[in-house]
Amino acid sequence: MHLNGHSKTIFFYIAKEILLAFCICFLFFFFVFFVNQILLMAREIISKRVPLFQVALLIIYSLPIIIAMASPFACLTGTLITIGRFNSDNEILIFLSSGLSYRSVFFPALAVGLLISLFSFFSNDILLPAGTVQFSRLYRRILFSSPALELESNSVKLFREKDTVIVTGHVMDKSIRDILIMDRTKDGERRIIIAEEAGLEDLGEGNISINLKEPFVQSGKENEKNDYDYASAGFLRYIVSQNDIADAVHFIGPREMSSVDVRREIKKKEAAYREKLETEYDKLIAEALALETELRKGNTVTASFTASWQYSLESVRKITRDRSHLLYSLEYYKKFAIPFGALSFVLVAVSIGLLANKGGQTVGFVIGICISALYWGLLLIGQDLGTRLNFSPFWSMWFPNALAITAGAILLGIKVYSR
């Protein structure tokens, strides 16, 4: 759109007012998400007597996700407040009387929405992975200085690489009441260790000793239920590496990755799925050819051969993509849907702001909060549908944006054609 001097003044005036309202609304949403996601985490760490400076660093490293989440909703509410105020103060009427069209209002808002979307995406896709790396490094240092940090009361810790599960009762400082340890011995036997009381001891060099008092130990082979051993003792030292605890607790999932990394993981999972499917198809075809050969020879097909064929056929039918593939796909589309939700919000915000003749800023703020809550609810529903019902990951995440664009286009059409 070509802008003359008069149009440029209007463009930058509207953009400046929307950005000012965005900054104010951003502080509100930032505080809401900050309290919801950060302070709860900080309170748990502070209760373990972690130095305040390190807690502050953890909060700083966690800020990118807060910024990415707050920006689109602040864009929605800020645009509603600004356009609503323009409309209630008759500034929109003045623009139209000067020979300008609704596009003169829509394009500045669209430009601001695009700028905020890019800012939100940058925070979520660049700053968040970088912050996660620093968060993990600092968390490890804190864990090494405070071994009781993650062995909390009534918690379950799973160490996949060691095939170990530790279930704790009440934890006070470095003392544990009621502890259950399930692991696998070097001989491949499953082992269960139970004790009513245990203590934590930092052995240095990244190791923690769980000192169990009067433990009971049972071990046995998985395939032989009646073959087992049991023993009791007055004291047992069980050593766990702090690296194992840190890896088990702070796992980096798709949300903490960049979109490029998530996409790379999705391709790996798709390749593994295709390889598994091709392997099963090859087995099925080989058995089908063997079956055809036997029939051509006039031989009778045995029941075991038929059962093997049916089992292979059923195996092919049951092959599905790894559940993690679905979760990664949902997170991948979510990384784009939420930041660029600011663009979809612009259309609906401008349309509602033009229709709101009274109330101005107050009405815009209230409507913005309601739409934000509705959008967030639809996003959670979409994620649930995608996870449980295998609904399309793309539409699970982008449906709220599509709904906002559709509603905004309809409302804008009503306003323009009723003029």
Side-chain angles (χ1 to χ4, degrees):
M1 182 180 71
H2 178 70
L3 297 176
N4 54 36
H6 183 66
S7 298
K8 286 182 179 179
T9 302
I10 298 297
F11 181 94
F12 288 110
Y13 169 67
I14 295 175
K16 182 188 71 174
E17 292 296 316
I18 293 177
L19 280 174
L20 179 61
F22 162 79
C23 292
I24 296 173
C25 295
F26 177 81
L27 292 177
F28 170 79
F29 283 102
F30 181 87
F31 179 76
V32 171
F33 286 109
F34 183 87
V35 171
N36 184 51
Q37 298 188 29
I38 300 300
L39 290 186
L40 293 177
M41 177 271 295
R43 185 181 65 183
E44 292 179 359
I45 295 178
I46 290 174
S47 66
K48 302 295 184 181
R49 301 178 182 177
V50 177
L52 186 60
F53 175 72
Q54 292 182 330
V55 175
L57 284 178
L58 287 177
I59 293 175
I60 291 173
Y61 295 146
S62 302
L63 289 182
I65 185 62
I66 306 298
I67 296 173
M69 296 295 294
S71 297
F73 299 121
C75 178
L76 164 67
T77 310
T79 305
L80 275 167
I81 290 175
T82 304
I83 304 301
R85 182 179 67 80
F86 284 166
N87 199 24
S88 62
D89 292 346
N90 294 320
E91 291 189 55
I92 299 294
L93 181 60
I94 295 174
F95 295 155
L96 297 177
S97 301
S98 302
L100 300 175
S101 64
Y102 285 114
R103 289 183 299 176
S104 301
V105 179
F106 176 73
F107 278 106
L110 186 64
V112 173
L114 178 60
L115 180 65
I116 294 172
S117 293
L118 293 175
F119 170 70
S120 177
F121 181 77
F122 173 79
S123 178
N124 189 51
D125 207 53
I126 305 297
L127 298 182
L128 177 58
T132 300
V133 172
Q134 297 301 322
F135 185 99
S136 300
R137 290 175 180 174
L138 177 58
Y139 199 88
R140 285 175 178 271
R141 291 202 299 268
I142 294 174
L143 185 59
F144 292 162
S145 63
S146 180
L149 179 62
E150 285 303 337
L151 291 179
E152 300 175 342
S153 297
N154 306 312
S155 64
V156 178
K157 300 302 176 186
L158 172 63
F159 313 128
R160 288 188 175 87
E161 291 187 2
K162 302 297 183 180
D163 199 9
T164 302
V165 178
I166 299 179
V167 183
T168 57
H170 181 67
V171 178
M172 178 63 69
D173 292 331
K174 294 185 179 182
S175 176
I176 304 174
R177 293 289 300 177
D178 299 322
I179 183 170
L180 168 66
I181 301 175
M182 295 179 288
D183 66 359
R184 189 184 296 275
T185 66
K186 295 181 179 179
D187 297 329
E189 295 184 346
R190 297 298 302 179
R191 181 172 58 182
I192 300 175
I193 306 173
I194 303 173
E196 293 184 359
E197 187 176 353
L200 291 175
E201 180 184 354
D202 188 359
L203 301 178
E205 298 182 356
N207 292 319
I208 298 174
S209 175
I210 304 177
N211 301 325
L212 298 99
K213 298 180 181 179
E214 298 182 356
F216 175 83
V217 183
Q218 177 182 321
S219 61
K221 296 181 175 61
E222 289 182 332
N223 299 328
E224 300 179 18
K225 296 182 179 180
N226 296 324
D227 184 6
Y228 62 90
D229 299 312
Y230 65 88
S232 60
F235 177 84
L236 175 64
R237 184 187 295 272
Y238 192 92
I239 299 176
V240 181
S241 169
Q242 287 177 325
N243 284 323
D244 295 334
I245 296 179
D247 291 339
V249 172
H250 198 68
F251 171 74
I252 298 178
R255 194 184 76 160
E256 291 81 16
M257 298 178 180
S258 68
S259 59
V260 175
D261 292 334
V262 175
R263 184 60 184 169
R264 187 180 298 116
E265 290 297 321
I266 291 175
K267 288 183 177 180
K268 289 181 180 178
K269 294 179 185 298
E270 289 177 346
Y273 166 76
R274 288 194 297 268
E275 182 180 355
K276 184 178 180 181
L277 192 62
E278 289 175 0
T279 300
E280 293 298 328
Y281 266 126
D282 290 341
K283 291 181 181 179
L284 187 63
I285 291 173
E287 292 188 0
L289 292 175
L291 176 62
E292 182 183 6
T293 301
E294 293 296 322
L295 292 175
R296 288 182 179 276
K297 292 179 179 179
N299 298 333
T300 303
V301 179
T302 62
S304 60
F305 193 94
T306 304
S308 175
W309 159 261
Q310 291 177 344
Y311 176 80
S312 298
L313 183 61
E314 192 65 23
S315 297
V316 172
R317 291 174 178 172
K318 288 182 178 180
I319 291 178
T320 58
R321 284 184 171 85
D322 187 358
R323 177 178 172 82
S324 63
H325 175 273
L326 178 61
L327 297 178
Y328 272 72
S329 298
L330 286 169
E331 197 61 44
Y332 176 76
Y333 291 116
K334 187 177 180 180
K335 285 182 177 295
F336 293 91
I338 292 181
F340 288 97
L343 279 176
S344 61
F345 285 154
V346 164
L347 183 57
V348 70
V350 171
S351 303
I352 295 176
L354 292 175
L355 291 172
N357 295 321
K358 296 181 180 180
Q361 295 177 334
T362 304
V363 172
F365 182 77
V366 173
I367 293 176
I369 295 296
C370 294
I371 294 178
S372 298
L374 177 62
Y375 180 90
W376 190 252
L378 290 174
L379 203 63
L380 292 177
I381 292 173
Q383 191 159 351
D384 198 49
L385 289 174
T387 303
R388 297 188 179 185
L389 302 180
N390 292 328
F391 193 69
S392 167
F394 175 83
W395 286 111
S396 295
M397 295 294 98
W398 277 90
F399 175 75
N401 291 352
L403 182 62
I405 293 173
T406 303
I410 293 174
L411 292 175
L412 186 62
I414 293 174
K415 180 64 179 179
V416 171
Y417 288 107
S418 63
R419 181 185 167 191

